[in-house]
Amino acid sequence: MPDQKAVRRVVDIITGTWQAQALYAAVALRVADHVAAGHTTDEALAEQTRSDPDGIRRLTRLLTAMDVLDPVSTGHRLTSTGELLRSDAPQSMSDMVRIYGEEFHRAWGAVVPAVRTGTSGFQHAFGMSLHTYLRDPELGAKFQRAMNAGNVFFPDVLDVFDFAGHRTVVDVAGGSGAFLGTVLARHPRLHGILFDQPHMVPVATAHLDEAVGFGCYEVRAGDIFEGVPGGGDLYLLSRVLQDWDDVRCATLLHHIRAAMPADGRLLILERVVPEHGETLLPLLYDLHLLMAAGGRERDLAGYRDLLSAAGLRLESVHGLSLETSLLVAAAA
């Protein structure tokens, strides 16, 4: 007879996708929004979502078991997890759930050809790279909102790195400006430069105007593989190296080293692959990056090699939330 614990473990793993897709269905049907608006019964939710009453009942029953909903005398109420699925929540994760339930779900469907060929699952599923796909402004904005929903570790950086003494911080491939905005809000004497592709300029400008106000930052457009802005004594790379192979990463890091003064610092935010598989999330994201963009997570030795080849050295490593790490690099 097979080991019953082993059998249960296999069943738990293969049904994990079902939970993820149930969460996606809740977001796609705006269940959390409807419950927050007072439509708390299965009958009311079926009417609001234009869904089959039995289908909704079965979905909400599972969502209750998943700690997304709580049963109450009037129907359902949102748990703290369910609150994160509201589209109007301050730290809403609804867009993150959407992109994982739609685009990334399709990309993972190509896991076998991706592993066999080393080409991203997204490329197999969509016929184009994720970066090409995200050039569409609407899709790019959706992706940035999804990324921002997982940025709970940004404030941690402010607690483990001393920004005092720095004058100008350059956020390379800074996206919507969420990280730079977090830094500038805490350290208003810093001047910020966000550097990214042209289609991200209006997105970042809008966010930074709201987060820190006009005047303490600038947004510049360009290609990170052709060069990065000079003038900074502190450079940021938040989940950028994970998207590219070693050759592209080496090019980018050489540009940053050339722009950075001798006493400057580079802050890298990534998930570091553990030496002996002690933590699961970095390993999950490592394979996910192959599915999504053809990228990878790296272990500390891999980061040291990349930095060393660009004339940089790993100065310190700090653990952050969600098994993310801050790597501080200095000139070698």
Side-chain angles (χ1 to χ4, degrees):
M1 291 290 292
D3 184 321
Q4 293 302 307
K5 289 185 178 180
V7 171
R8 179 54 191 258
R9 182 61 183 144
V10 171
V11 171
D12 285 344
I13 291 171
I14 62 176
T15 57
T17 302
W18 300 352
Q19 292 192 53
Q21 288 305 104
L23 203 67
Y24 164 66
V27 167
L29 295 172
R30 299 182 60 238
V31 168
D33 290 344
H34 293 311
V35 171
H39 308 290
T40 62
T41 66
D42 288 332
E43 293 75 14
L45 288 171
E47 181 178 353
Q48 291 296 317
T49 62
R50 300 179 182 179
S51 300
D52 174 65
D54 182 58
I56 283 292
R57 188 175 302 109
R58 293 158 77 173
L59 175 61
T60 59
R61 185 168 57 191
L62 177 57
L63 293 173
T64 299
M66 290 166 55
D67 193 35
V68 175
L69 299 174
D70 265 342
V72 292
S73 59
T74 55
H76 306 286
R77 73 174 181 87
L78 298 173
T79 65
S80 56
T81 301
E83 288 286 348
L84 292 174
L85 305 185
R86 292 176 55 176
S87 61
D88 61 348
Q91 302 296 325
S92 175
M93 300 183 76
S94 61
D95 282 304
M96 187 176 185
V97 174
R98 281 184 182 274
I99 201 165
Y100 275 72
E102 294 172 357
E103 285 91 345
F104 290 163
H105 183 67
R106 283 183 59 187
W108 269 90
V111 61
V112 172
V115 169
R116 279 179 170 165
T117 65
T119 305
S120 77
F122 198 96
Q123 181 75 44
H124 285 283
F126 288 84
M128 67 180 77
S129 70
L130 176 63
H131 296 286
T132 299
Y133 182 82
L134 295 179
R135 287 174 188 164
D136 179 289
E138 185 175 338
L139 296 172
K142 171 186 174 182
F143 179 76
Q144 284 300 322
R145 291 193 301 269
M147 291 285 287
N148 291 344
N151 290 340
V152 296
F153 43 79
F154 283 173
D156 297 351
V157 178
L158 305 176
D159 297 329
V160 300
F161 181 80
D162 185 5
F163 286 81
H166 292 283
R167 300 175 303 278
T168 301
V169 54
V170 182
D171 194 355
V172 179
S176 67
F179 188 21
L180 182 60
T182 300
V183 172
L184 295 180
R186 179 80 68 89
H187 298 279
R189 288 183 294 179
L190 283 173
H191 179 69
I193 300 173
L194 186 140
F195 186 64
D196 211 318
Q197 298 180 68
H199 70 272
M200 290 308 303
V201 169
V203 177
T205 300
H207 175 80
L208 290 169
D209 274 349
E210 181 178 353
V212 298
F214 179 78
C216 61
Y217 77 90
E218 56 187 293
V219 179
R220 301 184 190 177
D223 185 336
I224 61 174
F225 298 112
E226 293 182 358
V228 301
D233 57 353
L234 183 63
Y235 284 77
L236 311 178
L237 277 178
S238 175
R239 294 178 296 176
V240 176
L241 299 179
Q242 64 177 18
D243 287 342
W244 304 101
D245 59 26
D246 287 355
V247 174
R248 288 280 203 165
C249 288
T251 299
L252 173 56
L253 290 171
H254 272 104
H255 289 322
I256 292 174
R257 177 63 189 93
M260 192 174 78
D263 61 348
R265 293 294 184 274
L266 167 63
L267 306 187
I268 299 171
L269 285 177
E270 295 285 1
R271 287 188 172 92
V272 177
V273 172
E275 185 175 354
H276 301 295
E278 302 92 338
T279 52
L280 187 61
L281 201 57
L283 302 175
L284 285 169
Y285 269 96
D286 178 43
L287 191 56
H288 170 69
L289 287 166
L290 175 58
M291 298 307 109
R296 68 188 312 119
E297 302 287 15
R298 295 172 172 85
D299 58 17
L300 278 181
Y303 284 113
R304 285 194 179 96
D305 289 344
L306 282 177
L307 292 168
S308 177
L312 296 162
R313 61 181 173 85
L314 184 60
E315 186 174 68
S316 60
V317 181
H318 307 271
L320 309 175
S321 303
L322 288 180
E323 297 173 29
T324 304
S325 295
L326 169 66
L327 287 69
V328 181

PDB file of all heavy atoms in Angstrom, residues 279-308:
ATOM      1  N   THR A 279      13.579  27.281   1.823  1.00  0.00           N
ATOM      2  CA  THR A 279      12.351  28.050   1.642  1.00  0.00           C
ATOM      3  C   THR A 279      11.793  27.790   0.245  1.00  0.00           C
ATOM      4  O   THR A 279      12.542  27.705  -0.736  1.00  0.00           O
ATOM      5  CB  THR A 279      12.615  29.554   1.831  1.00  0.00           C
ATOM      6  OG1 THR A 279      13.715  29.957   1.012  1.00  0.00           O
ATOM      7  CG2 THR A 279      12.930  29.867   3.285  1.00  0.00           C
ATOM      8  N   LEU A 280      10.469  27.705   0.157  1.00  0.00           N
ATOM      9  CA  LEU A 280       9.829  27.273  -1.084  1.00  0.00           C
ATOM     10  C   LEU A 280       9.564  28.412  -2.054  1.00  0.00           C
ATOM     11  O   LEU A 280       9.683  28.235  -3.273  1.00  0.00           O
ATOM     12  CB  LEU A 280       8.511  26.560  -0.744  1.00  0.00           C
ATOM     13  CG  LEU A 280       7.764  25.893  -1.905  1.00  0.00           C
ATOM     14  CD1 LEU A 280       8.610  24.812  -2.545  1.00  0.00           C
ATOM     15  CD2 LEU A 280       6.433  25.313  -1.410  1.00  0.00           C
ATOM     16  N   LEU A 281       9.183  29.587  -1.549  1.00  0.00           N
ATOM     17  CA  LEU A 281       8.735  30.663  -2.435  1.00  0.00           C
ATOM     18  C   LEU A 281       9.771  31.067  -3.481  1.00  0.00           C
ATOM     19  O   LEU A 281       9.428  31.244  -4.657  1.00  0.00           O
ATOM     20  CB  LEU A 281       8.289  31.870  -1.603  1.00  0.00           C
ATOM     21  CG  LEU A 281       7.357  32.867  -2.290  1.00  0.00           C
ATOM     22  CD1 LEU A 281       6.101  32.191  -2.807  1.00  0.00           C
ATOM     23  CD2 LEU A 281       6.991  34.002  -1.329  1.00  0.00           C
ATOM     24  N   PRO A 282      11.056  31.232  -3.132  1.00  0.00           N
ATOM     25  CA  PRO A 282      12.034  31.553  -4.179  1.00  0.00           C
ATOM     26  C   PRO A 282      12.114  30.485  -5.263  1.00  0.00           C
ATOM     27  O   PRO A 282      12.332  30.801  -6.439  1.00  0.00           O
ATOM     28  CB  PRO A 282      13.354  31.671  -3.409  1.00  0.00           C
ATOM     29  CG  PRO A 282      12.951  32.021  -2.023  1.00  0.00           C
ATOM     30  CD  PRO A 282      11.678  31.255  -1.792  1.00  0.00           C
ATOM     31  N   LEU A 283      11.959  29.217  -4.877  1.00  0.00           N
ATOM     32  CA  LEU A 283      12.011  28.138  -5.863  1.00  0.00           C
ATOM     33  C   LEU A 283      10.784  28.160  -6.765  1.00  0.00           C
ATOM     34  O   LEU A 283      10.883  27.909  -7.973  1.00  0.00           O
ATOM     35  CB  LEU A 283      12.125  26.788  -5.153  1.00  0.00           C
ATOM     36  CG  LEU A 283      13.344  26.633  -4.232  1.00  0.00           C
ATOM     37  CD1 LEU A 283      13.276  25.302  -3.503  1.00  0.00           C
ATOM     38  CD2 LEU A 283      14.631  26.737  -5.033  1.00  0.00           C
ATOM     39  N   LEU A 284       9.619  28.459  -6.185  1.00  0.00           N
ATOM     40  CA  LEU A 284       8.408  28.594  -6.996  1.00  0.00           C
ATOM     41  C   LEU A 284       8.550  29.729  -7.993  1.00  0.00           C
ATOM     42  O   LEU A 284       8.233  29.586  -9.183  1.00  0.00           O
ATOM     43  CB  LEU A 284       7.199  28.843  -6.090  1.00  0.00           C
ATOM     44  CG  LEU A 284       6.653  27.640  -5.319  1.00  0.00           C
ATOM     45  CD1 LEU A 284       5.653  28.099  -4.274  1.00  0.00           C
ATOM     46  CD2 LEU A 284       6.006  26.647  -6.284  1.00  0.00           C
ATOM     47  N   TYR A 285       9.042  30.860  -7.515  1.00  0.00           N
ATOM     48  CA  TYR A 285       9.186  32.005  -8.412  1.00  0.00           C
ATOM     49  C   TYR A 285      10.291  31.776  -9.443  1.00  0.00           C
ATOM     50  O   TYR A 285      10.236  32.325 -10.548  1.00  0.00           O
ATOM     51  CB  TYR A 285       9.434  33.292  -7.620  1.00  0.00           C
ATOM     52  CG  TYR A 285       8.140  33.994  -7.287  1.00  0.00           C
ATOM     53  CD1 TYR A 285       7.527  33.816  -6.063  1.00  0.00           C
ATOM     54  CD2 TYR A 285       7.510  34.816  -8.222  1.00  0.00           C
ATOM     55  CE1 TYR A 285       6.319  34.442  -5.764  1.00  0.00           C
ATOM     56  CE2 TYR A 285       6.314  35.438  -7.932  1.00  0.00           C
ATOM     57  CZ  TYR A 285       5.722  35.250  -6.702  1.00  0.00           C
ATOM     58  OH  TYR A 285       4.531  35.861  -6.423  1.00  0.00           O
ATOM     59  N   ASP A 286      11.288  31.007  -9.099  1.00  0.00           N
ATOM     60  CA  ASP A 286      12.335  30.691 -10.070  1.00  0.00           C
ATOM     61  C   ASP A 286      11.738  30.001 -11.296  1.00  0.00           C
ATOM     62  O   ASP A 286      11.999  30.392 -12.442  1.00  0.00           O
ATOM     63  CB  ASP A 286      13.405  29.804  -9.425  1.00  0.00           C
ATOM     64  CG  ASP A 286      14.496  29.414 -10.403  1.00  0.00           C
ATOM     65  OD1 ASP A 286      14.951  30.279 -11.171  1.00  0.00           O
ATOM     66  OD2 ASP A 286      14.884  28.231 -10.414  1.00  0.00           O
ATOM     67  N   LEU A 287      10.904  28.988 -11.066  1.00  0.00           N
ATOM     68  CA  LEU A 287      10.280  28.308 -12.195  1.00  0.00           C
ATOM     69  C   LEU A 287       9.214  29.183 -12.835  1.00  0.00           C
ATOM     70  O   LEU A 287       9.036  29.162 -14.059  1.00  0.00           O
ATOM     71  CB  LEU A 287       9.681  26.971 -11.751  1.00  0.00           C
ATOM     72  CG  LEU A 287       9.232  26.038 -12.882  1.00  0.00           C
ATOM     73  CD1 LEU A 287      10.380  25.739 -13.851  1.00  0.00           C
ATOM     74  CD2 LEU A 287       8.655  24.737 -12.324  1.00  0.00           C
ATOM     75  N   HIS A 288       8.517  29.968 -12.019  1.00  0.00           N
ATOM     76  CA  HIS A 288       7.512  30.884 -12.574  1.00  0.00           C
ATOM     77  C   HIS A 288       8.155  31.871 -13.546  1.00  0.00           C
ATOM     78  O   HIS A 288       7.576  32.212 -14.584  1.00  0.00           O
ATOM     79  CB  HIS A 288       6.801  31.646 -11.458  1.00  0.00           C
ATOM     80  CG  HIS A 288       5.944  32.766 -11.962  1.00  0.00           C
ATOM     81  ND1 HIS A 288       4.784  32.557 -12.682  1.00  0.00           N
ATOM     82  CD2 HIS A 288       6.084  34.122 -11.885  1.00  0.00           C
ATOM     83  CE1 HIS A 288       4.244  33.719 -13.010  1.00  0.00           C
ATOM     84  NE2 HIS A 288       5.021  34.673 -12.543  1.00  0.00           N
ATOM     85  N   LEU A 289       9.347  32.341 -13.233  1.00  0.00           N
ATOM     86  CA  LEU A 289      10.019  33.301 -14.115  1.00  0.00           C
ATOM     87  C   LEU A 289      10.350  32.679 -15.464  1.00  0.00           C
ATOM     88  O   LEU A 289      10.352  33.367 -16.488  1.00  0.00           O
ATOM     89  CB  LEU A 289      11.275  33.842 -13.436  1.00  0.00           C
ATOM     90  CG  LEU A 289      10.989  34.828 -12.304  1.00  0.00           C
ATOM     91  CD1 LEU A 289      12.232  35.048 -11.458  1.00  0.00           C
ATOM     92  CD2 LEU A 289      10.475  36.151 -12.862  1.00  0.00           C
ATOM     93  N   LEU A 290      10.636  31.387 -15.482  1.00  0.00           N
ATOM     94  CA  LEU A 290      10.804  30.703 -16.767  1.00  0.00           C
ATOM     95  C   LEU A 290       9.488  30.695 -17.521  1.00  0.00           C
ATOM     96  O   LEU A 290       9.455  30.905 -18.736  1.00  0.00           O
ATOM     97  CB  LEU A 290      11.300  29.270 -16.540  1.00  0.00           C
ATOM     98  CG  LEU A 290      11.407  28.390 -17.796  1.00  0.00           C
ATOM     99  CD1 LEU A 290      12.335  29.022 -18.831  1.00  0.00           C
ATOM    100  CD2 LEU A 290      11.873  26.989 -17.427  1.00  0.00           C
ATOM    101  N   MET A 291       8.383  30.463 -16.813  1.00  0.00           N
ATOM    102  CA  MET A 291       7.074  30.470 -17.470  1.00  0.00           C
ATOM    103  C   MET A 291       6.716  31.855 -17.981  1.00  0.00           C
ATOM    104  O   MET A 291       6.184  32.012 -19.080  1.00  0.00           O
ATOM    105  CB  MET A 291       5.978  30.016 -16.489  1.00  0.00           C
ATOM    106  CG  MET A 291       6.120  28.608 -15.957  1.00  0.00           C
ATOM    107  SD  MET A 291       6.304  27.385 -17.264  1.00  0.00           S
ATOM    108  CE  MET A 291       8.021  26.950 -17.046  1.00  0.00           C
ATOM    109  N   ALA A 292       7.012  32.895 -17.203  1.00  0.00           N
ATOM    110  CA  ALA A 292       6.521  34.238 -17.511  1.00  0.00           C
ATOM    111  C   ALA A 292       7.418  34.988 -18.488  1.00  0.00           C
ATOM    112  O   ALA A 292       6.925  35.555 -19.475  1.00  0.00           O
ATOM    113  CB  ALA A 292       6.380  35.045 -16.220  1.00  0.00           C
ATOM    114  N   ALA A 293       8.702  35.031 -18.212  1.00  0.00           N
ATOM    115  CA  ALA A 293       9.568  35.910 -19.008  1.00  0.00           C
ATOM    116  C   ALA A 293      10.851  35.246 -19.475  1.00  0.00           C
ATOM    117  O   ALA A 293      11.696  35.903 -20.088  1.00  0.00           O
ATOM    118  CB  ALA A 293       9.911  37.160 -18.194  1.00  0.00           C
ATOM    119  N   GLY A 294      11.015  33.966 -19.167  1.00  0.00           N
ATOM    120  CA  GLY A 294      12.264  33.318 -19.524  1.00  0.00           C
ATOM    121  C   GLY A 294      13.388  33.695 -18.582  1.00  0.00           C
ATOM    122  O   GLY A 294      14.564  33.472 -18.892  1.00  0.00           O
ATOM    123  N   GLY A 295      13.033  34.281 -17.416  1.00  0.00           N
ATOM    124  CA  GLY A 295      14.037  34.715 -16.455  1.00  0.00           C
ATOM    125  C   GLY A 295      14.339  33.651 -15.428  1.00  0.00           C
ATOM    126  O   GLY A 295      13.998  32.482 -15.596  1.00  0.00           O
ATOM    127  N   ARG A 296      14.967  34.078 -14.304  1.00  0.00           N
ATOM    128  CA  ARG A 296      15.349  33.127 -13.271  1.00  0.00           C
ATOM    129  C   ARG A 296      15.651  33.869 -11.982  1.00  0.00           C
ATOM    130  O   ARG A 296      16.059  35.040 -11.988  1.00  0.00           O
ATOM    131  CB  ARG A 296      16.582  32.331 -13.702  1.00  0.00           C
ATOM    132  CG  ARG A 296      17.851  33.172 -13.792  1.00  0.00           C
ATOM    133  CD  ARG A 296      19.041  32.429 -14.402  1.00  0.00           C
ATOM    134  NE  ARG A 296      19.211  31.135 -13.796  1.00  0.00           N
ATOM    135  CZ  ARG A 296      19.129  29.993 -14.506  1.00  0.00           C
ATOM    136  NH1 ARG A 296      18.912  30.031 -15.813  1.00  0.00           N
ATOM    137  NH2 ARG A 296      19.296  28.830 -13.901  1.00  0.00           N
ATOM    138  N   GLU A 297      15.468  33.169 -10.853  1.00  0.00           N
ATOM    139  CA  GLU A 297      16.050  33.612  -9.597  1.00  0.00           C
ATOM    140  C   GLU A 297      17.445  33.016  -9.518  1.00  0.00           C
ATOM    141  O   GLU A 297      17.748  32.018 -10.177  1.00  0.00           O
ATOM    142  CB  GLU A 297      15.206  33.131  -8.413  1.00  0.00           C
ATOM    143  CG  GLU A 297      13.753  33.587  -8.425  1.00  0.00           C
ATOM    144  CD  GLU A 297      13.557  35.060  -8.099  1.00  0.00           C
ATOM    145  OE1 GLU A 297      14.549  35.823  -8.124  1.00  0.00           O
ATOM    146  OE2 GLU A 297      12.414  35.452  -7.836  1.00  0.00           O
ATOM    147  N   ARG A 298      18.307  33.613  -8.689  1.00  0.00           N
ATOM    148  CA  ARG A 298      19.679  33.143  -8.564  1.00  0.00           C
ATOM    149  C   ARG A 298      20.039  32.935  -7.104  1.00  0.00           C
ATOM    150  O   ARG A 298      19.439  33.540  -6.215  1.00  0.00           O
ATOM    151  CB  ARG A 298      20.648  34.158  -9.201  1.00  0.00           C
ATOM    152  CG  ARG A 298      20.464  34.317 -10.704  1.00  0.00           C
ATOM    153  CD  ARG A 298      21.300  35.466 -11.251  1.00  0.00           C
ATOM    154  NE  ARG A 298      21.282  35.519 -12.710  1.00  0.00           N
ATOM    155  CZ  ARG A 298      20.337  36.129 -13.431  1.00  0.00           C
ATOM    156  NH1 ARG A 298      19.335  36.747 -12.811  1.00  0.00           N
ATOM    157  NH2 ARG A 298      20.374  36.127 -14.737  1.00  0.00           N
ATOM    158  N   ASP A 299      21.042  32.097  -6.871  1.00  0.00           N
ATOM    159  CA  ASP A 299      21.550  31.959  -5.511  1.00  0.00           C
ATOM    160  C   ASP A 299      22.587  33.056  -5.263  1.00  0.00           C
ATOM    161  O   ASP A 299      22.936  33.823  -6.178  1.00  0.00           O
ATOM    162  CB  ASP A 299      22.117  30.565  -5.257  1.00  0.00           C
ATOM    163  CG  ASP A 299      23.243  30.186  -6.220  1.00  0.00           C
ATOM    164  OD1 ASP A 299      23.824  31.084  -6.873  1.00  0.00           O
ATOM    165  OD2 ASP A 299      23.548  28.979  -6.314  1.00  0.00           O
ATOM    166  N   LEU A 300      23.071  33.148  -4.041  1.00  0.00           N
ATOM    167  CA  LEU A 300      24.017  34.218  -3.714  1.00  0.00           C
ATOM    168  C   LEU A 300      25.290  34.129  -4.541  1.00  0.00           C
ATOM    169  O   LEU A 300      25.853  35.153  -4.947  1.00  0.00           O
ATOM    170  CB  LEU A 300      24.357  34.178  -2.219  1.00  0.00           C
ATOM    171  CG  LEU A 300      23.355  34.838  -1.276  1.00  0.00           C
ATOM    172  CD1 LEU A 300      23.841  34.733   0.168  1.00  0.00           C
ATOM    173  CD2 LEU A 300      23.127  36.297  -1.657  1.00  0.00           C
ATOM    174  N   ALA A 301      25.742  32.922  -4.815  1.00  0.00           N
ATOM    175  CA  ALA A 301      26.944  32.765  -5.636  1.00  0.00           C
ATOM    176  C   ALA A 301      26.715  33.337  -7.022  1.00  0.00           C
ATOM    177  O   ALA A 301      27.606  33.978  -7.604  1.00  0.00           O
ATOM    178  CB  ALA A 301      27.330  31.285  -5.718  1.00  0.00           C
ATOM    179  N   GLY A 302      25.528  33.123  -7.559  1.00  0.00           N
ATOM    180  CA  GLY A 302      25.201  33.665  -8.878  1.00  0.00           C
ATOM    181  C   GLY A 302      25.208  35.177  -8.890  1.00  0.00           C
ATOM    182  O   GLY A 302      25.706  35.809  -9.838  1.00  0.00           O
ATOM    183  N   TYR A 303      24.668  35.797  -7.828  1.00  0.00           N
ATOM    184  CA  TYR A 303      24.681  37.262  -7.756  1.00  0.00           C
ATOM    185  C   TYR A 303      26.097  37.788  -7.568  1.00  0.00           C
ATOM    186  O   TYR A 303      26.479  38.815  -8.151  1.00  0.00           O
ATOM    187  CB  TYR A 303      23.772  37.746  -6.623  1.00  0.00           C
ATOM    188  CG  TYR A 303      22.309  37.666  -6.989  1.00  0.00           C
ATOM    189  CD1 TYR A 303      21.454  36.787  -6.348  1.00  0.00           C
ATOM    190  CD2 TYR A 303      21.782  38.465  -8.006  1.00  0.00           C
ATOM    191  CE1 TYR A 303      20.113  36.700  -6.689  1.00  0.00           C
ATOM    192  CE2 TYR A 303      20.449  38.386  -8.363  1.00  0.00           C
ATOM    193  CZ  TYR A 303      19.618  37.501  -7.699  1.00  0.00           C
ATOM    194  OH  TYR A 303      18.301  37.417  -8.066  1.00  0.00           O
ATOM    195  N   ARG A 304      26.874  37.108  -6.750  1.00  0.00           N
ATOM    196  CA  ARG A 304      28.263  37.543  -6.568  1.00  0.00           C
ATOM    197  C   ARG A 304      29.025  37.510  -7.889  1.00  0.00           C
ATOM    198  O   ARG A 304      29.801  38.424  -8.205  1.00  0.00           O
ATOM    199  CB  ARG A 304      28.962  36.652  -5.542  1.00  0.00           C
ATOM    200  CG  ARG A 304      28.562  36.921  -4.111  1.00  0.00           C
ATOM    201  CD  ARG A 304      29.530  36.246  -3.147  1.00  0.00           C
ATOM    202  NE  ARG A 304      29.167  36.514  -1.758  1.00  0.00           N
ATOM    203  CZ  ARG A 304      28.441  35.719  -0.993  1.00  0.00           C
ATOM    204  NH1 ARG A 304      27.990  34.560  -1.500  1.00  0.00           N
ATOM    205  NH2 ARG A 304      28.152  36.043   0.250  1.00  0.00           N
ATOM    206  N   ASP A 305      28.816  36.466  -8.689  1.00  0.00           N
ATOM    207  CA  ASP A 305      29.503  36.350  -9.975  1.00  0.00           C
ATOM    208  C   ASP A 305      29.089  37.475 -10.918  1.00  0.00           C
ATOM    209  O   ASP A 305      29.934  38.077 -11.598  1.00  0.00           O
ATOM    210  CB  ASP A 305      29.197  34.996 -10.616  1.00  0.00           C
ATOM    211  CG  ASP A 305      29.875  33.835  -9.894  1.00  0.00           C
ATOM    212  OD1 ASP A 305      30.805  34.091  -9.100  1.00  0.00           O
ATOM    213  OD2 ASP A 305      29.471  32.679 -10.125  1.00  0.00           O
ATOM    214  N   LEU A 306      27.777  37.755 -10.989  1.00  0.00           N
ATOM    215  CA  LEU A 306      27.295  38.838 -11.859  1.00  0.00           C
ATOM    216  C   LEU A 306      27.888  40.177 -11.434  1.00  0.00           C
ATOM    217  O   LEU A 306      28.352  40.960 -12.272  1.00  0.00           O
ATOM    218  CB  LEU A 306      25.766  38.918 -11.805  1.00  0.00           C
ATOM    219  CG  LEU A 306      24.960  37.902 -12.602  1.00  0.00           C
ATOM    220  CD1 LEU A 306      23.464  38.121 -12.354  1.00  0.00           C
ATOM    221  CD2 LEU A 306      25.255  38.009 -14.101  1.00  0.00           C
ATOM    222  N   LEU A 307      27.866  40.434 -10.140  1.00  0.00           N
ATOM    223  CA  LEU A 307      28.374  41.718  -9.638  1.00  0.00           C
ATOM    224  C   LEU A 307      29.877  41.830  -9.861  1.00  0.00           C
ATOM    225  O   LEU A 307      30.372  42.880 -10.290  1.00  0.00           O
ATOM    226  CB  LEU A 307      28.049  41.856  -8.155  1.00  0.00           C
ATOM    227  CG  LEU A 307      26.561  42.014  -7.817  1.00  0.00           C
ATOM    228  CD1 LEU A 307      26.323  41.851  -6.322  1.00  0.00           C
ATOM    229  CD2 LEU A 307      26.048  43.365  -8.295  1.00  0.00           C
ATOM    230  N   SER A 308      30.603  40.774  -9.585  1.00  0.00           N
ATOM    231  CA  SER A 308      32.052  40.799  -9.739  1.00  0.00           C
ATOM    232  C   SER A 308      32.459  41.083 -11.179  1.00  0.00           C
ATOM    233  O   SER A 308      33.395  41.857 -11.432  1.00  0.00           O
ATOM    234  CB  SER A 308      32.640  39.467  -9.276  1.00  0.00           C
ATOM    235  OG  SER A 308      34.033  39.432  -9.473  1.00  0.00           O
TER     236      SER A 308
END
